């Protein structure tokens, strides 16, 4: 299994090549010379640099204490997760999988080679514990594609020790700035190398293809941001783009089984599908409906794992609250067996989905819709009118479903009506989220109300789902002559929980309607 290390680091540059004295930094007892390491790294990407565009770096490095394959994934400014695999001749399958949503069918190939002479210092406290590693890197970059150039520079890198206090980096930076050192204009060595070794019209004219390393360096170009939303179509597309980006960013986390990643990715797919349906007057549904079907499929596949998590967590919590006198038979073992069996199967299936041509084709289709959106006439309209009308229409549908559920008799019919109302409330919440930039407070209030409503109805639906699993587990226990008493106790509690939601719904709904958040 790949090893993952959280990196918290900052990069600096200076007109001087040396490292300022850091013994005056608060908490630093000594600066220890660790010698010079010679590093040689080849960075891989697609021909159109898709990984670089997503701030991902994939490299094969020799030299130093961590030779091997490294995939760096951004977490926050100055924070990245470095996922490591041992040295091999080709890109490890595990790392290739983590970038598949970006790369898709394109080939990963060598793009840039960086050779660095790294002069390392350790900043330690009075107990000799490492606070941070500071290095002065003399870097030589070479573009490996046709027409590429070379560049060289020196930079200072400060990396926080594992489990260190990020505030310590502020103290180091304060000392560096006093010495005339400034933060680097590039987020990474690769970003700088790409900017300085790119083939330019000037280099083509001269035939050199090389950077003039003595000239003052310009900051690398920043990817162009979409224009600020103006029309209804602009606002809807901004929301669609954000959800597409969320799916791409969450893909590696889902593959690594990161906490809550499956749920968050599932929400992004639902938000996308809801946007297509709610704003059918803005984006042509003859184009988006087939995409919505594929998003529904993806959400369903993600839901297999999510539903297991919900049921397992809920039953584990309730079992922990039961007195021993109400626990009969090996119910905890039975639950663990069910959860682990489902987990193994669902995880394997989910990874297969993310590796499938169907999923990759869906991502391609989303890219195409964003690049060339199927805008209708209303897309050019006033967002407050076009988007406001769509949101009010969704709210009207929620209202009808909630009233129907309240009037339905307790039992399967009411369960079904509440589930339908919950799904429509989610759609309305997502529509209101997309409407918040142009509509402001009314949309924000509606989104909050719909979130509260879906949470309440979610409690009911979870109870329905848990009761189904309890019946299944009870039948298995009965078949092997185990006591089913505790399953009945839990089932009764879930029935009471659902009844409580049903009793609370009319009052909660009256409050939502009284807010009048979507009037006008």
């Amino acid at each position: 299994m790949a090893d993952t290390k959280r990196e918290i680091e900052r990069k600096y540059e200076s007109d001087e090549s040396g490292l300022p004295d850091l013994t005056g930094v608060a908490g630093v007892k000594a600066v220890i010379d660790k010698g010079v390491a010679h590093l040689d790294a080849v960075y891989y990407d697609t021909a159109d640099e898709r990984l670089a565009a997503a701030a991902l770096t994939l490299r094969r490095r020799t030299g130093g204490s961590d030779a091997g394959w490294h995939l760096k994934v951004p977490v926050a400014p100055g924070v990245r997760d470095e996922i490591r695999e041992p040295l091999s001749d080709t890109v490890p399958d595990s790392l290739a999988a983590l970038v598949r949503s970006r790369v898709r069918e394109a080939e990963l190939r060598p793009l840039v080679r960086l050779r660095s002479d790294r002069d390392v210092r350790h900043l330690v406290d009075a107990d000799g514990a490492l606070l941070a590693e500071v290095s002065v890197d003399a870097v030589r970059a070479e573009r490996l594609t046709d027409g590429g150039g070379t560049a060289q520079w020196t930079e200072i890198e400060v990396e926080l020790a594992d489990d260190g206090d990020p505030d310590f980096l502020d103290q180091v930076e304060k000392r560096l700035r006093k010495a005339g050192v400034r933060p680097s204009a590039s987020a990474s060595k690769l970003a700088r190398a790409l900017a300085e070794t790119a083939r330019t019209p000037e280099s083509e004219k001269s035939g050199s293809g090389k950077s003039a390393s003595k000239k003052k360096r310009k900051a690398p170009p920043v990817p162009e941001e979409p224009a600020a939303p103006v029309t209804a179509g602009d606002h809807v597309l901004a929301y669609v783009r954000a959800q597409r980006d969320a799916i791409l960013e969450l893909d590696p986390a889902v593959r690594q089984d990161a906490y809550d990643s499956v749920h968050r990715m599932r929400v992004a797919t639902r938000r996308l599908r809801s946007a297509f349906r709610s704003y059918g007057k803005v984006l042509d549904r003859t184009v988006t409906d087939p995409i919505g079907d594929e998003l529904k499929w993806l959400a369903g596949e993600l839901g297999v794992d999510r539903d297991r998590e919900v049921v397992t967590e809920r039953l584990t919590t309730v079992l922990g609250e039961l007195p021993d006198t109400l626990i009969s038979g090996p119910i905890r073992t039975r639950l663990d067996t069910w959860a682990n069996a489902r987990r193994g199967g669902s995880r394997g299936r989910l990874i297969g989905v993310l590796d499938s041509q169907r999923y990759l084709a869906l991502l391609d289709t989303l890219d195409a819709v964003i690049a060339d959106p199927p805008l209708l006439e209303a897309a050019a309209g006033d967002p407050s009118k076009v988007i406001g009308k769509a949101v009010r229409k969704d709210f009207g549908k929620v209202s009808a479903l909630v009233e129907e559920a309240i009037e339905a008799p307790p039992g399967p019919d009411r369960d079904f009506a509440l589930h339908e109302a919950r799904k429509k409330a989610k759609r309305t919440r997502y529509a209101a989220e997309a409407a918040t930039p142009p509509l402001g407070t009314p949309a924000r209030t509606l989104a909050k109300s719909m979130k509260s409503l879906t949470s309440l109805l979610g409690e009911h639906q979870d109870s329905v789902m848990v009761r189904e699993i309890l019946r299944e587990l009870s039948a298995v226990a009965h078949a092997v002559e185990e006591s089913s008493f505790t399953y009945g106790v839990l089932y009764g509690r879930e029935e009471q929980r659902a009844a409580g939601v049903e009793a609370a719904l009319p009052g909660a709904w009256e409050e939502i309607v009284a807010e009048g958040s979507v009037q006008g």
Side-chain angles (χ1 to χ4, degrees):
M1 180 178 292
D3 178 42
T4 300
K5 181 180 184 299
R6 174 66 53 88
E7 288 186 341
I8 302 177
E9 63 183 21
R10 300 181 187 179
K11 297 180 183 296
Y12 303 89
E13 55 191 44
S14 172
D15 295 331
E16 305 294 332
S17 59
L19 182 68
D21 180 18
L22 297 176
T23 55
V25 175
V28 175
K29 179 64 175 179
V31 178
I32 303 174
D33 187 346
K34 303 299 288 185
V36 178
H38 303 286
L39 310 176
D40 191 344
V42 175
Y43 288 77
Y44 284 68
D45 206 336
T46 61
D48 53 359
E49 300 178 14
R50 299 180 191 179
L51 298 187
L56 297 166
T57 60
L58 175 62
R59 72 186 180 198
R60 181 186 187 276
R61 189 167 80 180
T62 57
S65 60
D66 62 346
W69 285 92
H70 305 151
L71 173 65
K72 293 178 180 282
V73 180
V75 176
V79 183
R80 296 188 293 182
D81 280 342
E82 183 177 271
I83 305 164
R84 301 172 175 176
E85 287 284 9
L87 280 174
S88 61
D89 293 335
T90 58
V91 179
D93 291 341
S94 62
L95 300 187
L98 293 179
V99 298
R100 186 159 293 132
S101 64
R102 303 284 185 177
V103 174
R104 299 175 203 173
E105 299 300 325
E107 177 188 5
L108 283 170
R109 61 182 188 176
L111 178 64
V112 169
R113 183 181 185 186
L114 297 182
R115 284 170 287 183
S116 304
D117 296 326
R118 171 165 289 181
D119 190 358
V120 181
R121 304 285 192 279
H122 280 185
L123 307 185
V124 299
D125 63 14
D127 296 325
L130 179 65
L131 298 172
E133 180 177 285
V134 182
S135 63
V136 179
D137 294 347
V139 185
R140 303 178 301 283
E142 176 188 1
R143 172 91 56 154
L144 300 178
T145 53
D146 293 340
T150 61
Q152 59 184 31
W153 67 88
T154 299
E155 70 178 36
I156 297 172
E157 182 177 293
V158 183
E159 181 176 345
L160 189 68
D162 293 346
D163 301 319
D165 183 357
D167 290 342
F168 177 70
L169 295 182
D170 293 335
Q171 300 299 320
V172 176
E173 181 165 313
K174 183 178 181 180
R175 176 68 185 90
L176 291 174
R177 283 180 177 272
K178 284 185 177 180
V181 177
R182 58 191 178 275
S184 176
S186 298
S188 67
K189 288 184 177 65
L190 177 61
R192 182 166 182 172
L194 291 175
E196 296 197 13
T197 65
R199 188 170 186 175
T200 64
E202 289 76 12
S203 67
E204 290 179 358
K205 185 176 180 180
S206 66
S208 66
K210 296 185 178 182
S211 300
S213 59
K214 293 184 179 180
K215 292 183 180 180
K216 186 175 181 180
R217 183 172 66 90
K218 295 182 179 180
V222 177
E224 184 177 347
E225 293 291 335
V230 176
T231 65
D234 291 335
H235 283 284
V236 172
L237 285 174
Y239 189 77
V240 168
R241 186 182 297 109
Q243 306 318 312
R244 185 279 310 270
D245 292 347
I247 292 173
L248 294 177
E249 290 166 6
L250 286 165
D251 180 288
V254 171
R255 292 174 183 273
Q256 293 179 291
D257 201 17
Y259 173 75
D260 204 37
S261 59
V262 171
H263 172 60
R264 291 164 59 203
M265 189 173 185
R266 189 184 189 191
V267 169
T269 64
R270 286 176 163 174
R271 282 180 167 139
L272 258 178
R273 183 166 178 255
S274 294
F276 288 150
R277 300 186 68 182
S278 294
Y279 296 110
K281 297 295 185 182
V282 175
L283 296 174
D284 188 350
R285 287 192 58 174
T286 63
V287 175
T288 61
D289 275 357
I291 304 174
D293 291 340
E294 292 302 282
L295 290 167
K296 182 179 180 180
W297 159 75
L298 178 58
E301 296 293 347
L302 292 165
V304 172
D305 218 31
R306 176 60 180 169
D307 292 345
R308 175 199 55 77
E309 291 175 354
V310 170
V311 171
T312 301
E313 181 178 351
R314 185 150 167 166
L315 288 178
T316 300
T317 300
V318 174
L319 274 172
E321 297 170 349
L322 284 183
D324 292 341
T325 54
L326 294 181
I327 298 178
S328 177
I331 187 169
R332 288 191 175 91
T333 301
R334 183 66 62 192
L335 176 59
D336 288 343
T337 300
W338 174 84
N340 292 331
R342 290 292 183 94
R343 178 176 177 77
S346 62
R347 282 297 302 167
R349 179 182 177 86
L350 181 54
I351 296 302
V353 166
L354 298 184
D355 286 337
S356 70
Q357 290 299 316
R358 184 175 181 178
Y359 170 68
L360 298 179
L362 171 58
L363 298 182
D364 286 340
T365 303
L366 290 173
D367 289 348
V369 164
I370 291 170
D372 185 18
L375 299 173
L376 299 175
E377 184 178 351
D382 182 341
S384 64
K385 294 180 180 180
V386 175
I387 291 179
K389 182 179 180 180
V391 173
R392 288 191 294 273
K393 182 179 179 181
D394 276 352
F395 182 78
K397 293 179 179 179
V398 174
S399 180
L401 287 169
V402 171
E403 296 293 346
E404 178 183 337
I406 291 174
E407 295 297 324
D413 288 344
R414 177 177 284 181
D415 291 346
F416 177 79
L418 289 173
H419 185 44
E420 290 300 303
R422 175 173 176 253
K423 290 191 294 184
K424 194 66 67 177
K426 278 188 176 183
R427 174 174 158 183
T428 304
R429 173 192 169 189
Y430 300 148
E433 288 176 349
T436 295
L439 301 186
T441 299
R444 190 176 298 110
T445 300
L446 177 60
K448 183 178 179 180
S449 296
M450 291 298 98
K451 181 179 181 181
S452 175
L453 179 61
T454 55
S455 294
L456 181 64
L457 298 180
E459 284 287 302
H460 189 277
Q461 179 58 25
D462 287 349
S463 173
V464 172
M465 184 167 57
V466 169
R467 279 179 277 161
E468 291 178 356
I469 299 302
L470 285 171
R471 281 194 293 266
E472 175 186 325
L473 294 176
S474 177
V476 172
H478 180 75
V480 294
E481 299 184 351
E482 293 174 358
S483 172
S484 58
F485 170 76
T486 305
Y487 297 103
V489 172
L490 295 176
Y491 193 96
R493 292 200 170 199
E494 289 299 329
E495 282 188 320
Q496 290 179 343
R497 185 177 179 184
V501 171
E502 294 173 20
L505 179 60
W509 180 245
E510 285 181 8
E511 290 183 9
I512 291 173
V513 173
E515 288 177 345
S517 57
V518 293
Q519 299 302 315

